[in-house]
Amino acid sequence: MPAPIDFYFDFSSPYGYLASEQIDALAAKHRRGVAWRPILLGVVFQQTGSQPLLNIPLKGGYARHDLARSARLLGLPFQLPSSFPFLSVAACRAYYWLHDQDPAGAVALAKALYREAFGKGGDIDSGEAVLRIAESAGVGGAGGAGGAGEMAAALNDPAVKQRLRDEVSQAISKGVFGSPLFVVDGEPFWGHDRLDQVDLWLQRGGW
Amino acid sequence: MPAPIDFYFDFSSPYGYLASEQIDALAAKHRRGVAWRPILLGVVFQQTGSQPLLNIPLKGGYARHDLARSARLLGLPFQLPSSFPFLSVAACRAYYWLHDQDPAGAVALAKALYREAFGKGGDIDSGEAVLRIAESAGVGGAGGAGGAGEMAAALNDPAVKQRLRDEVSQAISKGVFGSPLFVVDGEPFWGHDRLDQVDLWLQRGGW
């Protein structure tokens, strides 16, 4: 069984949202899985001297136009949240906590969070919002033994906080610096617009 | 006759080089011309707080890898010049001076300059280098009345200098902030990796 495609993303990344709607189908076409890896890019942005794309003069205005146009091309709803960029710490913690008991549910949660934020323009930065979206998506234990309270507790669990810090550190140590960023058999591809090359790389086994 | 595609680029932009090898054929497929518009991005970079991509920590290393990989995919030679990024004032002046008397020759010069810089890794930052490349490409009057001396004089002609400043100002006033950047019937597309959307836009007449 070949290795899954690593899909690194920040929940606050609109191009990550576009990628999140395509990556599973692309991988399945090549009989690959996808390892969804949400991270926090703030730390990396300090190193690269970057700022969130949409805040940059000139580039920001273009990016808003480009995002809406790319979403139309893909047939996806698109709307920026009123508060943007936003903190995605709670979203990431919920993801990793859930991942350890229900990997498929964690991916469903990630997709639901992204759709809320960039499909509907909703806010997903608070723990309350994340819990509400998890419940709507039917993941995270609302019907299980611990109920939704277990996920609520996990958001402030020191072990879960450390788990997220470790995931971010590992990603940075592997050279991840942007979102979305894909790694296919050791080969990094940065940007939603590199999905074409990811597809070709998988098809040809590199070039 | 529909309007040509505006192709804005900086001679110091390696992704501009990749685009320069594809844009004419892409336009011809849709029965369009291309208006080649070399500019200097230094002024814009001050506004956007950007720095040349390859100098940015983490991103720079990735970009070198991505450029080589994209060139291989396209079957194009690729090598970074020893001095990079470089000043392209002389290249731009030669282009616009030549453009006013021989538009096709100016495009041939632009292609030859790009191939020297990024296909062979040669230096094109000096007036001497630009004149030499023009002569090799058989453009710029080496066989004409004034000979190559006329282009040499043009590189320091106040009118030519002003012409370049005007072109850069006009580009910036139209919102050009990166290289390559294409404008198709008023619609801007930034980046070599947006050529796919340029192609689709021309095919569908927008979406």
Side-chain angles (χ1 to χ4, degrees):
Chain A
M1 182 71 185
I5 297 167
D6 286 313
F7 170 36
Y8 293 96
F9 60 96
D10 189 311
F11 278 110
S12 188
S13 158
Y15 286 108
Y17 157 67
L18 298 183
S20 77
E21 296 283 347
Q22 300 179 271
I23 188 65
D24 278 347
L26 192 159
K29 200 173 82 173
H30 301 284
R31 300 172 185 276
R32 295 282 186 121
V34 179
W36 290 54
R37 300 184 183 280
I39 51 166
L40 301 168
L41 281 172
V43 184
V44 186
F45 278 13
Q46 286 170 12
Q47 278 188 48
T48 57
S50 298
Q51 44 178 329
L53 179 63
L54 300 201
N55 292 355
I56 302 173
L58 300 175
K59 281 188 188 174
Y62 170 81
R64 284 166 202 269
H65 185 78
D66 182 69
L67 280 161
R69 184 174 61 198
S70 293
R72 285 202 310 277
L73 180 60
L74 296 169
L76 294 173
F78 183 77
Q79 200 176 334
L80 281 179
S82 56
S83 159
F84 183 84
F86 53 82
L87 283 176
S88 58
V89 175
C92 287
R93 286 183 191 156
Y95 175 87
Y96 284 111
W97 171 77
L98 185 54
H99 182 266
D100 288 343
Q101 40 193 310
D102 177 8
V107 170
L109 174 61
K111 289 180 180 174
L113 287 164
Y114 253 150
R115 283 172 189 166
E116 177 68 23
F118 296 108
K120 299 178 184 171
D123 292 325
I124 65 165
D125 50 350
S126 68
E128 292 70 30
V130 171
L131 294 173
R132 185 172 37 77
I133 293 160
E135 197 177 347
S136 296
V139 298
E150 217 176 319
M151 183 184 274
L155 296 182
N156 288 306
D157 180 339
V160 175
K161 292 180 181 181
Q162 187 57 45
R163 169 69 186 281
L164 175 56
R165 280 193 289 268
D166 291 345
E167 292 284 345
V168 173
S169 297
Q170 279 174 35
I172 293 174
S173 73
K174 286 181 181 174
V176 174
F177 60 87
S179 169
L181 193 147
F182 315 93
V183 181
V184 183
D185 302 334
E187 191 74 13
F189 295 87
W190 172 41
H192 171 250
D193 43 31
R194 276 285 172 265
L195 279 177
D196 288 351
Q197 286 196 10
V198 169
D199 192 19
L200 274 175
W201 194 268
L202 285 162
Q203 183 188 314
R204 302 186 186 179
W207 61 81
Chain B
M1 183 71 184
I5 298 166
D6 286 313
F7 171 37
Y8 294 96
F9 60 97
D10 189 311
F11 278 112
S12 188
S13 158
Y15 286 108
Y17 157 67
L18 298 183
S20 77
E21 296 284 348
Q22 299 179 272
I23 188 64
D24 278 347
L26 191 160
K29 201 173 82 172
H30 301 283
R31 300 171 185 277
R32 295 282 185 121
V34 179
W36 289 54
R37 301 184 183 281
I39 53 168
L40 302 169
L41 280 173
V43 184
V44 187
F45 278 13
Q46 287 170 11
Q47 278 188 47
T48 57
S50 299
Q51 45 179 329
L53 179 63
L54 300 201
N55 292 355
I56 301 174
L58 300 175
K59 280 187 188 174
Y62 171 80
R64 285 165 201 269
H65 185 77
D66 183 68
L67 280 161
R69 184 175 62 198
S70 293
R72 284 201 310 276
L73 180 60
L74 297 168
L76 294 172
F78 183 77
Q79 201 176 333
L80 282 178
S82 56
S83 159
F84 183 84
F86 53 83
L87 283 176
S88 59
V89 176
C92 286
R93 286 184 190 155
Y95 175 86
Y96 284 111
W97 171 77
L98 185 54
H99 182 267
D100 288 343
Q101 41 193 311
D102 178 8
V107 170
L109 175 62
K111 290 180 180 175
L113 287 164
Y114 253 150
R115 284 172 188 166
E116 178 67 24
F118 296 108
K120 298 178 185 171
D123 292 325
I124 65 165
D125 51 349
S126 69
E128 293 70 29
V130 171
L131 294 173
R132 183 171 38 76
I133 293 159
E135 197 177 346
S136 295
V139 298
E150 216 176 319
M151 182 184 275
L155 295 183
N156 288 306
D157 181 339
V160 175
K161 292 180 180 180
Q162 187 57 45
R163 168 68 185 282
L164 175 56
R165 280 192 289 268
D166 292 344
E167 293 284 345
V168 173
S169 297
Q170 279 174 36
I172 292 174
S173 73
K174 287 181 182 175
V176 174
F177 61 86
S179 169
L181 192 147
F182 315 93
V183 181
V184 183
D185 302 334
E187 191 76 12
F189 295 88
W190 172 41
H192 171 251
D193 42 31
R194 276 285 172 266
L195 279 177
D196 288 351
Q197 287 197 8
V198 169
D199 193 18
L200 275 175
W201 194 269
L202 287 161
Q203 183 188 313
R204 302 186 186 179
W207 61 81

